[in-house]
Amino acid sequence: MKTALLIHHVAFEDAGSLEPELLRAGYNIERCDAATANLGWIDALAWDLVVLLGGPIGVYEQHDFPFLTEELALLRKRLAAQRPTLGICLGSQLMAAALGARVYPGNEGQEIGWKPLQSTAHSADCPAMNHLLSPAVPVLHWHGDTFDLPAGARHLAMTEQYAHQAFGIGNWALGVQFHPEVTAQGLERWYVGHASELAHAGINVSGLRQTSQLHAPALTQAAERFWRDWLAALPG
């Protein structure tokens, strides 16, 4: 049986719609809490797939969150070996940093809410991405940081506010700044966990919930096809 390691940074930002597709594809799932695990003891190459999930901290905050240093070391080893790796939001930023790219607070403010992705000249290099590149399928954005495109990576998706929304390397590495994994029900935990951030950003929870209930079902359907195609294309 194939194995997948899910690295969490906060409990409520879970794998969402990705988890049932991992099970469907035959993966045995193991979980790791990045903040409390001894990441230095984890064998970076032991799993068929490693998934790094989101969280409300920055890659550059290693002084305050020392586990990030060990997480980056794990990622560097895994990516150097070209082992299948997926990063979502903070996970994508960690991947970019491990690949030598700069991660930093974005100049265009926080991008929180639902909007469609736009294609790039290289979107077709990742056929699975086509399921999410539709004006009829807005995706959830929830970040304030951004990153430069890592050397050798293909630029797969963008928005007007932040260009680097997704990148891929070969058929084994994918980083997505947006959140394809979210569901309407799962987001109820986000509204509680990120209540202070939403208040600081002047975003009304009731309004965001209403928009999420409108758009999340279409994203869940599109993400199911996206996950299936991407997982099926992984090496091995």
Side-chain angles (χ1 to χ4, degrees):
M1 178 177 283
K2 294 177 289 187
T3 58
L5 176 66
L6 307 186
I7 300 180
H8 294 255
H9 300 94
V10 287
F12 59 85
E13 291 200 30
D14 57 23
S17 64
L18 171 59
E19 183 160 342
E21 294 308 315
L22 287 171
L23 295 173
R24 179 183 177 276
Y27 283 88
N28 180 50
I29 297 173
E30 298 186 43
R31 306 172 199 280
C32 170
D33 175 14
T36 59
N38 190 338
L39 297 175
W41 287 94
I42 292 178
D43 182 352
L45 309 183
W47 286 270
D48 295 298
L49 173 64
V50 167
V51 179
L52 301 105
L53 297 165
I57 60 177
V59 171
Y60 44 81
E61 295 181 289
Q62 295 172 47
H63 176 76
D64 290 331
F65 306 102
F67 71 86
L68 291 170
T69 301
E70 292 184 341
E71 193 168 5
L72 286 167
L74 183 155
L75 265 179
R76 290 188 189 100
K77 183 175 180 180
R78 185 167 181 90
L79 294 170
Q82 299 187 4
R83 298 284 285 149
T85 308
L86 169 67
I88 297 174
C89 200
L90 173 59
S92 70
Q93 297 161 11
L94 285 161
M95 287 178 63
L99 290 164
R102 185 171 63 108
V103 180
Y104 50 95
N107 295 324
E108 301 300 324
Q110 288 181 297
E111 188 172 36
I112 300 177
W114 294 81
K115 69 175 71 169
L117 296 168
Q118 300 173 12
S119 61
T120 71
H122 295 284
S123 295
D125 292 346
C126 180
M129 191 64 64
N130 184 59
H131 296 299
L132 302 177
L133 292 171
S134 168
V137 185
V139 302
L140 182 70
H141 304 266
W142 201 309
H143 69 102
D145 289 347
T146 188
F147 51 81
D148 294 336
L149 194 68
R154 298 161 298 160
H155 183 201
L156 301 176
M158 60 180 290
T159 64
E160 291 182 1
Q161 190 169 348
Y162 285 105
H164 296 153
Q165 293 289 347
F167 68 87
I169 303 176
N171 64 341
W172 54 272
L174 177 66
V176 293
Q177 177 79 287
F178 57 97
H179 287 277
E181 83 285 8
V182 295
T183 64
Q185 183 178 21
L187 281 170
E188 291 297 328
R189 293 190 293 271
W190 291 46
Y191 305 143
V192 178
H194 289 309
S196 295
E197 181 182 17
L198 290 173
H200 183 73
I203 296 174
N204 178 269
V205 172
S206 296
L208 181 57
R209 177 184 290 110
Q210 185 176 13
T211 307
S212 298
Q213 290 173 343
L214 176 65
H215 294 307
L219 174 60
T220 298
Q221 291 183 2
E224 178 182 284
R225 298 188 292 271
F226 168 66
W227 296 128
R228 288 185 185 184
D229 286 359
W230 186 75
L231 290 169
L234 290 176

